[in-house]
Amino acid sequence: MSRVALVTGGSRGIGRAIALRLASDGHAVAVNYATNSAAADDVVATITGNGGAAIAVRADVGDADAVAAMFEAVEEELGRVDVLVNNAGITRDDLLLRMGPEAWDQVIETNLRSVYLCSRAAMRGMLRSRWGRIISVSSISGITGNPGQANYAASKAGIIGFSKSIAREIGSRNITVNVVAPGFIETDMTEELGTEIAEEVARRVAVGRLGRPEEIAAAVGYLASDDAAYVTGQTLVVDGGLAL
Amino acid sequence: MERTEIESKLTDLLVDELGIERDDIRADATFEEDLDVDSLGVVELLMALEDNFGVKIPDEEAEQITTVGEAIDLVEKKLNA
């Protein structure tokens, strides 16, 4: 039995690693992307090249109509979504005094509203199947806070409260809802910060280095599996011991 | 479609999907109090009715449903619309 997974923001970075991991665990994977179709196609090609099933599906996950259309497309091509990974996220970092409403709204819409829209869309099918996994990628920023990231941290903390609430709503139907909170992971998003900050962060990490996208994907793989059936409403911090 | 057909399908769903005693199911029975179906169970039931009868029940109308009879009325109304 092959389960269907949808990974939002699945074309690059952590999302790409999650898509590849879930495919290697035997899921048919829908790779959502916002703009970079070449990157999404590359993930799909990698999966299908390894004998897996995958499609790329474009959608702005902060947009209700686009999300509805995305789920329709995935259900038509792969079937009902069993595993939803809310991974899509952006940053618009700035000090609060300089953070305009647009930077706030964009981040909340893409990072948090998307989680609401996608989880809601996925829930119907999961209730019918009486099985489901909703896994959202938060951030250590949402737990400890981070200067310059008031919008990002708010969106990532919001995901945690959202997930705990939904976990209580639908736990009785074999649907678990969990969060993975990465620390500093080597991706395009953290690369923007420069090597100096990366080295400084690495010194503060107990494990002594930045994380790899695959290490986040492994946590998602676990939470998506039957082994994690009794884990719900949790936030699994995968940060190499940064926030201890 | 006959009202009795909707009624018997709904009864089957309540018995088969939600484990309700057939004898407890009456038109005036409330889902949450009389039948001990939680609010999520009511949502699931309405989804199953949508699937079975090929109708669409908007959330605003679904929220108004409290009894077995009201659910039957709503499906009947949708089918005849």
Side-chain angles (χ1 to χ4, degrees), chain A residues 139-183:
Chain A
S139 165
I140 198 68
S141 280
I143 298 171
T144 63
N146 200 22
Q149 290 202 312
N151 50 1
Y152 185 77
S155 74
K156 294 301 187 180
I159 287 173
I160 294 172
F162 173 88
S163 298
K164 287 181 182 177
S165 303
I166 306 309
R168 289 183 186 273
E169 279 186 25
I170 55 179
S172 61
R173 269 60 167 184
N174 287 323
I175 304 169
T176 65
V177 187
N178 290 289
V179 175
V180 174

Side-chain angles (χ1 to χ4, degrees), chain A residues 223-240:
Chain A
L223 291 170
S225 74
D226 284 313
D227 286 344
Y230 203 58
V231 178
T232 195
Q234 300 303 305
T235 299
L236 179 51
V237 177
V238 183
D239 71 347

Side-chain angles (χ1 to χ4, degrees), chain A residues 80 120 123-125 127-128 130 169-173, chain B residues 17-18 38 40-41 43-44 47-48 50-51 56 59:
Chain A
R80 202 179 271 175
R120 189 163 183 261
M123 202 179 282
R124 275 188 164 251
L127 282 172
R128 290 194 168 101
R130 296 272 165 145
E169 279 186 25
I170 55 179
S172 61
R173 269 60 167 184
Chain B
E17 300 289 327
L18 298 169
D38 64 11
L40 184 58
V43 174
E44 287 181 302
M47 275 168 36
E50 286 183 335
D51 291 348
K56 191 94 192 87
D59 292 343

Side-chain angles (χ1 to χ4, degrees), chain B residues 4-71:
Chain B
T4 50
E5 205 175 320
I6 302 170
E7 199 174 329
S8 95
K9 186 72 217 173
L10 178 59
T11 304
D12 288 346
L13 283 170
L14 283 166
V15 173
D16 299 338
E17 300 289 327
L18 298 169
I20 308 294
E21 291 290 329
R22 197 170 284 271
D23 293 347
D24 293 340
I25 302 169
R26 304 174 320 271
D28 64 348
T30 62
F31 289 113
E32 301 207 19
E33 279 164 34
D34 297 336
L35 303 179
D36 202 23
V37 177
D38 64 11
S39 55
L40 184 58
V42 176
V43 174
E44 287 181 302
L45 187 68
L46 293 171
M47 275 168 36
L49 289 173
E50 286 183 335
D51 291 348
N52 269 283
F53 294 105
V55 295
K56 191 94 192 87
I57 301 171
D59 292 343
E60 313 85 73
E61 291 179 61
E63 282 164 19
Q64 309 297 319
I65 301 295
T66 58
T67 67
V68 172
E70 286 168 5

